[in-house]
Short mmCIF file of all heavy atoms in Angstrom, two decimals:
data_model
loop_
_atom_site.label_atom_id
_atom_site.label_comp_id
_atom_site.label_asym_id
_atom_site.label_seq_id
_atom_site.Cartn_x
_atom_site.Cartn_y
_atom_site.Cartn_z
N ARG A 33 -105.81 1.04 3.16
CA ARG A 33 -105.55 -0.20 3.89
C ARG A 33 -106.16 -1.32 3.07
O ARG A 33 -107.37 -1.41 2.92
CB ARG A 33 -106.12 -0.16 5.31
CG ARG A 33 -105.87 -1.46 6.07
CD ARG A 33 -105.90 -1.28 7.56
NE ARG A 33 -104.80 -0.45 8.06
CZ ARG A 33 -103.56 -0.87 8.27
NH1 ARG A 33 -103.24 -2.13 8.00
NH2 ARG A 33 -102.65 -0.05 8.73
N PRO A 54 -94.15 -5.84 -21.11
CA PRO A 54 -94.04 -4.78 -20.10
C PRO A 54 -92.63 -4.71 -19.54
O PRO A 54 -91.97 -5.75 -19.38
CB PRO A 54 -95.03 -5.23 -19.02
CG PRO A 54 -95.95 -6.19 -19.69
CD PRO A 54 -95.14 -6.85 -20.76
N ASP A 77 -103.52 17.74 -0.42
CA ASP A 77 -104.50 18.51 -1.17
C ASP A 77 -105.81 17.75 -1.39
O ASP A 77 -106.64 18.15 -2.20
CB ASP A 77 -103.92 18.90 -2.54
CG ASP A 77 -103.47 17.70 -3.35
OD1 ASP A 77 -103.26 16.62 -2.75
OD2 ASP A 77 -103.32 17.82 -4.58
N PRO A 112 -119.31 -0.18 -5.24
CA PRO A 112 -120.79 -0.15 -5.20
C PRO A 112 -121.34 -0.97 -4.04
O PRO A 112 -120.73 -1.96 -3.61
CB PRO A 112 -121.19 -0.76 -6.55
CG PRO A 112 -120.00 -0.59 -7.43
CD PRO A 112 -118.81 -0.71 -6.52
N ASP A 135 -116.40 -6.53 -26.34
CA ASP A 135 -116.77 -5.47 -27.29
C ASP A 135 -116.12 -5.72 -28.65
O ASP A 135 -116.75 -5.56 -29.70
CB ASP A 135 -116.34 -4.10 -26.77
CG ASP A 135 -117.23 -3.56 -25.66
OD1 ASP A 135 -118.32 -4.11 -25.44
OD2 ASP A 135 -116.81 -2.58 -25.00
N ILE A 147 -115.19 -21.07 -25.86
CA ILE A 147 -114.34 -20.27 -24.97
C ILE A 147 -113.35 -21.20 -24.29
O ILE A 147 -113.74 -22.12 -23.56
CB ILE A 147 -115.19 -19.54 -23.91
CG1 ILE A 147 -116.23 -18.64 -24.59
CG2 ILE A 147 -114.31 -18.73 -22.97
CD1 ILE A 147 -117.31 -18.12 -23.66
N ASP A 216 -110.23 -17.48 -27.47
CA ASP A 216 -109.15 -18.36 -27.02
C ASP A 216 -108.31 -17.69 -25.94
O ASP A 216 -107.59 -16.72 -26.21
CB ASP A 216 -108.27 -18.76 -28.20
CG ASP A 216 -107.20 -19.77 -27.80
OD1 ASP A 216 -107.33 -20.36 -26.71
OD2 ASP A 216 -106.25 -19.96 -28.58
N GLY A 220 -101.45 -22.13 -27.64
CA GLY A 220 -100.74 -23.40 -27.66
C GLY A 220 -101.50 -24.46 -28.45
O GLY A 220 -102.27 -24.16 -29.38
N ALA A 225 -106.27 -26.57 -31.67
CA ALA A 225 -107.41 -27.49 -31.80
C ALA A 225 -108.73 -26.71 -31.86
O ALA A 225 -109.63 -27.05 -32.64
CB ALA A 225 -107.42 -28.47 -30.63
N VAL A 237 -110.55 -15.28 -32.04
CA VAL A 237 -110.20 -14.10 -31.27
C VAL A 237 -109.35 -14.53 -30.07
O VAL A 237 -109.80 -15.31 -29.22
CB VAL A 237 -111.46 -13.36 -30.77
CG1 VAL A 237 -111.09 -12.11 -30.00
CG2 VAL A 237 -112.38 -13.02 -31.95
N GLN A 272 -108.36 0.90 -25.50
CA GLN A 272 -109.45 0.85 -24.55
C GLN A 272 -109.50 2.08 -23.66
O GLN A 272 -108.47 2.56 -23.18
CB GLN A 272 -109.34 -0.40 -23.67
CG GLN A 272 -110.53 -0.58 -22.72
CD GLN A 272 -110.39 -1.81 -21.83
OE1 GLN A 272 -109.30 -2.24 -21.50
NE2 GLN A 272 -111.52 -2.38 -21.41
N LYS A 317 -110.38 -15.55 -10.60
CA LYS A 317 -109.32 -14.58 -10.32
C LYS A 317 -108.59 -14.96 -9.03
O LYS A 317 -109.22 -15.33 -8.04
CB LYS A 317 -109.95 -13.19 -10.16
CG LYS A 317 -109.00 -12.08 -9.75
CD LYS A 317 -108.12 -11.67 -10.90
CE LYS A 317 -107.32 -10.40 -10.53
NZ LYS A 317 -106.43 -10.00 -11.62
N PRO A 322 -104.85 -9.77 3.06
CA PRO A 322 -103.94 -9.61 4.19
C PRO A 322 -104.25 -10.59 5.31
O PRO A 322 -105.42 -10.84 5.63
CB PRO A 322 -104.19 -8.16 4.63
CG PRO A 322 -104.59 -7.47 3.36
CD PRO A 322 -105.41 -8.48 2.61
#
Side-chain angles (χ1 to χ4, degrees):
R33 179 157 294 279
D77 57 341
D135 284 347
I147 302 167
D216 185 16
V237 181
Q272 185 181 28
K317 175 74 171 179

